[in-house]
Amino acid sequence: MFPENTSHRPAQQAVTIHQPTPLTTVQAAPLVPLQPGTIPEVTSIVLPDGRVITGYAIAPTHPEPVTAKPVISRAAVNIALGGIGFAAVCGGLVLLTTFIAALAALVQQLIILAAVIFGGWIAVQVFTASGQDKGATTVNIRKAVIKRNHFHS
């Protein structure tokens, strides 16, 4: 790259290589239970390399225990039970509609029967000759003679 002339070469600098320092485990100060509503005291920890870390002591959190999941999901069980329940109800719905149709037919027949009975009672009242009417004239139609559109009794 560079010509053989060494005057154009850059000056060589000392290269410093930094190696990462592994972190060592630090023994935390023992935790003291706190009264509710009090401010915890500031705690200082001295690391092995001489650095000092200052802060509040925090109680370690414990993860929730993992519960074992069932082999079959609850959603699948609920869907299956819903299907079984729907199948069981379908037969009842068919019977319910049949019952409603039969009840409607019974009500219709009772209404017709009431109309026939009430109509018969009215007919008996109208066509029964009653001598109890005061001032009424009873005409025997079989003896009447009709001549030239005039009624003669």
Side-chain angles (χ1 to χ4, degrees):
M1 286 212 307
F2 293 108
E4 293 296 325
N5 187 353
T6 59
S7 63
H8 293 290
R9 287 188 185 175
Q12 296 212 356
Q13 298 177 351
V15 177
T16 307
I17 298 174
H18 296 281
Q19 295 292 332
T21 334
L23 295 175
T24 57
T25 58
V26 177
Q27 295 294 332
L31 297 175
V32 179
L34 301 174
Q35 295 296 330
T38 62
I39 299 174
E41 295 183 18
V42 176
T43 306
S44 296
I45 298 174
V46 179
L47 297 177
D49 61 355
R51 295 181 291 166
V52 177
I53 298 176
T54 304
Y56 294 106
I58 300 174
T61 58
H62 299 288
E64 293 287 330
V66 178
T67 57
K69 290 186 177 181
V71 178
I72 301 173
S73 71
R74 290 185 179 188
V77 172
N78 289 340
I79 291 171
L81 290 176
I84 292 170
F86 180 75
V89 167
C90 284
L93 289 176
V94 169
L95 290 177
L96 182 65
T97 55
T98 305
F99 175 74
I100 291 172
L103 187 63
L106 176 68
V107 168
Q108 181 181 7
Q109 289 177 0
L110 289 176
I111 290 172
I112 291 172
L113 179 65
V116 168
I117 290 174
F118 185 68
W121 181 76
I122 296 241
V124 167
Q125 295 299 320
V126 168
F127 293 119
T128 300
S130 61
Q132 298 174 356
D133 293 336
K134 295 181 181 175
T137 304
T138 303
V139 178
N140 191 349
I141 297 177
R142 284 179 272 169
K143 292 183 181 178
V145 178
I146 300 173
K147 291 183 181 179
R148 294 188 187 152
N149 295 331
H150 291 290
F151 179 76
H152 300 282
S153 58

